[in-house]
């Protein structure tokens, strides 16, 4: 069975500082995807960044980077130069592939990030 | 703006009512999903449709009835719900990724803004 663990219920960071949100996972599948989603209070799940299990390079998307350490089964999200609009709930998720190619996402419990001026 | 549209955004219903949640996407995705999210909890998968056929039902009570009338639409019919069914219901879509177990993994789920349901 797949499992995602986020051990930080809440994190605080000052504007313009960098912050790391932790995520560890467990799976026996050789092929999987790791995702980070942002959920503001409006409810929408906003895709931030993706890392495939066979990707050699760590994923980056603008101010977001994913620190993927396969041997340690960790996929931490790094947000550089935090902005007030980054205040939200952040979910780490792992995807396994279904028999017709759909993706079954399992989410961690989330980390609430608060960015202060 | 999200490319997955959910209606209504808010719904209040009694335990004897019948209502439906609707989800629409025009990205050509052939996989569509319903997730349920209780307050302060992560989303939990309810149903998966691929090629308009039900692929996964995560032991969801029969008072929730999904329907996928075509590749762009996904409905969730609600009947005789309980107050504990109050939650945010999220619809998502994705491409269907091919390949075997060791093939590269691509694609993400695109989520709608959700329908916030309150059952009285």
């Amino acid at each position: 069975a797949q499992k995602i663990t986020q051990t930080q219920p809440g994190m605080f960071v000052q504007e313009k500082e960098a912050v790391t949100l932790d995520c560890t996972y467990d799976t026996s599948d050789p092929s999987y995807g790791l995702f980070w989603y942002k959920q503001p209070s409006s409810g929408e799940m906003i895709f931030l960044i993706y890392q495939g299990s066979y990707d050699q390079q760590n994923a980056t998307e603008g101010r977001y980077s994913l620190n993927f350490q396969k041997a340690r089964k960790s996929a931490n999200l790094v947000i550089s130069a935090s902005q007030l609009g980054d205040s939200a709930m952040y979910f780490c998720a792992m995807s396994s592939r279904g028999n017709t190619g759909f993706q079954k996402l399992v989410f961690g419990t989330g980390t609430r990030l608060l960015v202060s001026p | 703006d999200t490319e997955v549209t959910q209606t209504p955004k808010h719904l209040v219903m009694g335990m004897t009512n019948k209502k439906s949640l609707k989800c629409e996407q025009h990205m050509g995705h052939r996989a569509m999903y319903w997730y349920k999210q209780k307050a302060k909890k992560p989303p939990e998968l309810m149903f998966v449709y691929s090629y308009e056929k039900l692929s996964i039902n995560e032991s969801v009570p029969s008072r929730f009835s999904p329907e996928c009338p075509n590749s762009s639409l996904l409905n969730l019919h609600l009947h005789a719900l309980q107050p504990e069914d109050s939650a945010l219901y999220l619809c998502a879509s994705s491409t269907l990724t091919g390949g075997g177990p060791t093939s590269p993994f691509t694609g993400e789920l695109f989520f709608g803004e959700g329908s916030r349901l309150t059952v009285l």
Side-chain angles (χ1 to χ4, degrees):
Chain A
Q2 299 192 320
K3 188 176 180 183
I4 290 276
T5 302
Q6 294 180 256
T7 57
Q8 305 156 315
M11 289 286 285
F12 296 89
V13 66
Q14 273 203 309
E15 203 175 5
K16 300 178 185 173
E17 298 289 315
V19 63
T20 297
L21 306 185
D22 294 341
C23 174
T24 58
Y25 63 92
D26 192 21
T27 182
S28 55
D29 292 340
S31 178
Y32 51 89
L34 294 159
F35 300 82
W36 278 91
Y37 281 86
K38 171 185 177 182
Q39 188 176 41
S41 55
S42 60
E44 182 187 359
M45 297 287 282
I46 302 168
F47 166 75
L48 296 178
I49 197 167
Y50 157 83
Q51 181 87 39
S53 56
Y54 293 105
D55 294 343
Q56 297 296 316
Q57 305 267 16
N58 284 348
T60 59
E61 290 283 352
R63 295 186 299 112
Y64 305 108
S65 61
L66 199 152
N67 184 1
F68 180 47
Q69 298 188 42
K70 196 170 182 178
R72 298 178 61 184
K73 295 190 174 180
S74 73
N76 298 340
L77 176 70
V78 180
I79 305 174
S80 63
S82 297
Q83 302 171 355
L84 295 177
D86 293 336
S87 294
M89 181 70 88
Y90 288 79
F91 289 101
C92 181
M94 172 186 291
S95 184
S96 60
R97 186 180 299 144
N99 54 6
T100 57
F102 60 82
Q103 297 191 41
K104 186 174 176 181
L105 272 187
V106 174
F107 288 87
T109 51
T111 296
R112 183 163 295 282
L113 177 65
L114 285 179
V115 181
S116 59
Chain B
D1 285 343
T2 180
E3 296 181 78
V4 177
T5 304
Q6 289 188 242
T7 56
K9 287 192 174 13
H10 299 274
L11 178 63
V12 179
M13 60 186 291
M15 290 190 284
T16 58
N17 291 158
K18 282 185 183 181
K19 297 286 186 183
S20 296
L21 305 181
K22 297 184 185 303
C23 175
E24 189 169 5
Q25 57 88 14
H26 294 288
M27 294 179 281
H29 292 166
R30 301 303 297 276
M32 295 188 77
Y33 311 76
W34 279 115
Y35 279 81
K36 174 181 178 179
Q37 187 178 21
K38 301 281 281 182
K40 301 186 190 226
K41 297 287 187 184
E44 294 179 341
L45 182 64
M46 299 174 73
F47 302 104
V48 179
Y49 274 82
S50 57
Y51 298 111
E52 296 86 70
K53 290 187 173 18
L54 185 64
S55 292
I56 286 186
N57 175 342
E58 294 282 33
S59 304
V60 179
S62 59
R63 57 185 184 270
F64 294 92
S65 175
E67 177 197 22
C68 190
N70 60 54
S71 60
S72 299
L73 293 174
L74 184 66
N75 298 322
L76 186 62
H77 303 297
L78 314 170
H79 173 55
L81 295 192
Q82 304 296 311
E84 59 265 27
D85 296 321
S86 298
L88 180 68
Y89 289 84
L90 292 161
C91 173
S93 70
S94 75
T95 56
L96 285 168
T97 58
T102 58
S103 295
F105 214 93
T106 59
E108 72 267 21
L109 269 64
F110 290 81
F111 283 85
E113 292 185 351
S115 292
R116 200 168 294 276
L117 173 67
T118 303
V119 182
L120 301 177

